Amino acid sequence: MMQLTQTDLSTLEATATTAAAYLDACDSGAKFVRLDPTYYQACGRLLLLIFSATDANRSFPSLVKQSAAARDALESVDIGRHIELSRLAYYPQLSVILNRAAA
C-alpha cells in the first residue's frame, strides 16, 4: 500500500470538501445550487472512494465534523468494511458464491 504524503492528503481533503459541499447543498435544498444528478452521483462516489483509501476520521476530522454528507459516506465505508470482514469470517461459503457471481 502506498503511503500518502501530507500534500496528497491536503489535495484529497480539498477534493472531498468540494464534493461534500455540493452534496450537502443539494440535500439541504439550497436555492443557489442546481441539482445535476450525474454530478451528484459522481461526488458521492468520489467521497466514498477517498474515504475508502484513507482514515477519514484521522485525516479529515473537520470535514467529518462539519459535513453531513461526509459523515454519511464515512458511515457507509465503515459498514461496508464490517460486512466484508463478517462475510469472510462467518460466511465463507457465501463469500465464494458471491465472488463467483461477480465474475
Side-chain angles (χ1 to χ4, degrees):
M1 180 178 212
M2 187 168 85
Q3 192 70 12
L4 296 173
T5 66
Q6 190 57 43
T7 302
D8 296 332
L9 289 172
S10 294
T11 301
L12 287 173
E13 182 175 22
T15 303
T17 299
T18 301
Y22 180 77
L23 295 172
D24 287 335
C26 288
D27 290 347
S28 69
K31 296 188 187 313
F32 64 89
V33 176
R34 184 174 162 263
L35 175 62
D36 177 348
T38 304
Y39 186 68
Y40 184 92
Q41 188 177 35
C43 286
R45 285 183 178 159
L46 181 61
L47 205 55
L48 290 173
L49 182 63
I50 291 171
F51 284 8
S52 294
T54 62
D55 179 357
N57 273 325
R58 192 170 58 100
S59 300
F60 321 121
S62 60
L63 174 59
V64 172
K65 182 179 178 183
Q66 295 172 2
S67 169
R71 287 190 298 276
D72 290 346
L74 180 60
E75 183 179 8
S76 295
V77 169
D78 288 343
I79 290 170
R81 286 179 180 150
H82 185 280
I83 289 170
E84 185 67 24
L85 290 174
S86 295
R87 185 179 63 129
L88 292 173
Y90 300 111
Y91 307 104
Q93 291 174 327
L94 176 61
S95 292
V96 170
I97 292 168
L98 290 174
N99 287 337
R100 269 192 229 139

